[in-house]
Each structure stands twice: as structure tokens, then as C-alpha cells.
Amino acid sequence: MKAGMIWAAAACACLSGAAAAQDAMTIGQFEFANSCVQCHGPLGKGDGPLVSYMTGSMPDITQLKKNNGGLFPVTEVFNVIDGGAAAGPHGTSEMPAWGQRYRKDAPEWLGYSGAPGEAEALARLRVLSLVEYVASLQEE
């Protein structure tokens, strides 16, 4: 099995096992529930329980497609979640750079069998799965 296929199998096994424990959620749903609901709320409307502790308002992420001329801004959302679009470790505002946490957690998820590069691949898989889930929340 090639290294790329190994990380994919390991990532799916790790994430699938965790998702099964959460009533068979998709990877994106699992990541959203663990990383986003506290601020963005269960439907992405910006009404999570931690909003009252933050400065400013929480964006309604169900409107990203509508606010971008009818096209979901995949690259921008990926960069915000991953932290690549930010100058600091917390994104462009109070938004945590989840990609950094995913990279830090990857070796533990992969175990000793993880090959070089697989930690980065697993982190990207988690971010992409989250982007896909956020895309599914879009309102017309």
C-alpha cells in the first residue's frame, strides 16, 4: 500500500471510529460539533453558547455562499479554518486556527505507524471535511 493510501486509511479509520461513537456522524459533522458549535451554534447561525463572552458578533456561516455571489468560497473558508489566511494563531479575529490543532493532534491519531507527511495529510482531511460540512449548511 502506498504512503498516501496508508494515511487515508488511517485517517478514515480514526475518524470513522470517532464518528461512529457520535451516532454515525460524517467527519465534517464530527469536527463541526467539536470545533465550531460552541461559537457558531448547531445550525451555523452564530448563536452558540460562547457568543456572549466574545467581542463583536459571530458571523452566520449559513450565508457564506449567498454573500459570495452564489458560490461557496471554498479556498477562503479552508484558509480561515486552517489558519493560513491569518497573521496570528487565532485566524483573522477570535477564530481559532483549527488546522494547527489538527496538526498537533495528528501523531496521536496516527500512532506509531504514521509515515512522514501523513500528519499533514490528516490535518488537511479534517479541515476539508469541515469545509464540506459548512458548505452543506448554506441557505439559498
Side-chain angles (χ1 to χ4, degrees), residues 69-81:
L71 298 172
F72 184 73
V74 174
T75 302
E76 291 84 356
V77 173
F78 180 94
N79 286 335
V80 168
I81 294 169

Side-chain angles (χ1 to χ4, degrees), residues 69-117:
L71 298 172
F72 184 73
V74 174
T75 302
E76 291 84 356
V77 173
F78 180 94
N79 286 335
V80 168
I81 294 169
D82 187 59
H90 288 91
T92 55
S93 61
E94 294 178 328
M95 169 80 182
W98 293 111
Q100 292 176 3
R101 186 190 84 188
Y102 296 161
R103 283 177 191 79
K104 181 180 168 284
D105 294 347
E108 180 181 336
W109 284 46
L110 291 169
Y112 294 109
S113 63

Side-chain angles (χ1 to χ4, degrees), residues 18-135:
Q22 295 290 321
D23 296 325
M25 292 178 167
T26 66
I27 295 169
Q29 286 172 311
F30 177 80
E31 296 299 349
F32 190 82
N34 285 306
S35 303
C36 309
V37 167
Q38 298 81 0
C39 298
H40 292 287
L43 301 176
K45 295 290 198 175
D47 58 354
L50 296 182
V51 170
S52 62
Y53 298 103
M54 297 179 176
T55 58
S57 61
M58 184 59 50
D60 177 349
I61 60 173
T62 68
Q63 301 299 307
L64 297 172
K65 179 179 172 182
K66 180 181 176 185
N67 294 337
N68 192 49
L71 298 172
F72 184 73
V74 174
T75 302
E76 291 84 356
V77 173
F78 180 94
N79 286 335
V80 168
I81 294 169
D82 187 59
H90 288 91
T92 55
S93 61
E94 294 178 328
M95 169 80 182
W98 293 111
Q100 292 176 3
R101 186 190 84 188
Y102 296 161
R103 283 177 191 79
K104 181 180 168 284
D105 294 347
E108 180 181 336
W109 284 46
L110 291 169
Y112 294 109
S113 63
E118 288 182 348
E120 177 64 24
L122 176 58
R124 286 179 173 262
L125 172 74
R126 292 176 72 185
V127 173
L128 284 170
S129 295
L130 186 48
V131 170
E132 179 182 38
Y133 184 71
V134 171

